[in-house]
Amino acid sequence: MKKEKSNGITIGYASIITVFMILIFVTFSILSFRQASSSLSRVERTIEVLNANYEADTAGMKMKMKIDDMLKNSKTIDEAIIAIKNEVESINIYDNMVEYTIIINDKAKLEVLLTIDQIEMKSEINSWKIITTNEEGYTQQGFDF
Amino acid sequence: MKIERKSKFYVFLIEILWCVFFLALSSIVCTHFFVKGSELKDEAINKSNATIIANNVAETMRISDGVMNDFQEISTGHFQKQIEKYTVDVHSVSLNDNYREHKIQISINDKILIEYVVVSEVN
């Protein structure tokens, strides 16, 4: 009578083994999914950092191009320096050196130092480096994983 | 006695059927997770490889003043190269006499994975 009341649902060895198998399947599938998901997010984070680096690099080169244009269109170096100071903000000029900084993000910045060639009236790269605060494993090439 | 044996077998059969039903149900969910995981893993591998290729191309552009020796010219200012299953597209625009802007795209089956813009100086 008791078996009839249970509507055919009984817990035997088969059920226990099945529950165990289901648990293993679900655990492994979720682990596989989580691992792939975290792997993709790591790659996307690296791409984001490299993209920001290249954007800063492009901005730096465009700034250099602007400085070169002004040097080319000026007759004397003094005239060029005045033009650069008026046109370009956040730039330091001392002796024959031009220095400017491009902010990449809150953890990194690109520092550029150019030397002005007074004879050919053009700039040459003296130093072109990314300065990082090295917080949370942030490096020039992205994050350390 | 015969009736009792049939009843035991029937109960066992029902239990097995329930087990098969739940196993099938969980298999659907698990397969979905495995397939999604596999897709994400493939995307991660593709993006990782595309990053390496894009970095190499971008650095080559900067060092070689934007000269593309091993690229095939598709149209004016559009260069293309195939690296394994990845297609590298470079769209070059002249900014002035000395500077060129290169838009580097790495794609696979017309799906763009990564895109960089690099400016090179022509000496």
Side-chain angles (χ1 to χ4, degrees), chain A residues 1-11, chain B residues 11 14 18:
Chain A
M1 282 300 284
K2 269 184 184 176
K3 275 179 187 173
E4 276 174 19
K5 274 181 186 175
S6 65
N7 295 325
I9 301 168
T10 51
I11 308 289
Chain B
V11 169
I14 293 293
W18 275 114

Side-chain angles (χ1 to χ4, degrees), chain A residues 74-90:
Chain A
S74 303
K75 287 168 188 167
T76 61
I77 187 75
D78 294 328
E79 190 186 320
I81 287 169
I82 292 163
I84 292 166
K85 275 183 178 170
N86 290 337
E87 285 287 320
V88 188
E89 287 175 13
S90 66

Side-chain angles (χ1 to χ4, degrees), chain A residues 87-102:
Chain A
E87 285 287 320
V88 188
E89 287 175 13
S90 66
I91 196 162
N92 297 321
I93 304 172
Y94 46 89
D95 299 332
N96 289 331
M97 309 289 255
V98 177
E99 188 186 53
Y100 56 88
T101 305
I102 310 281

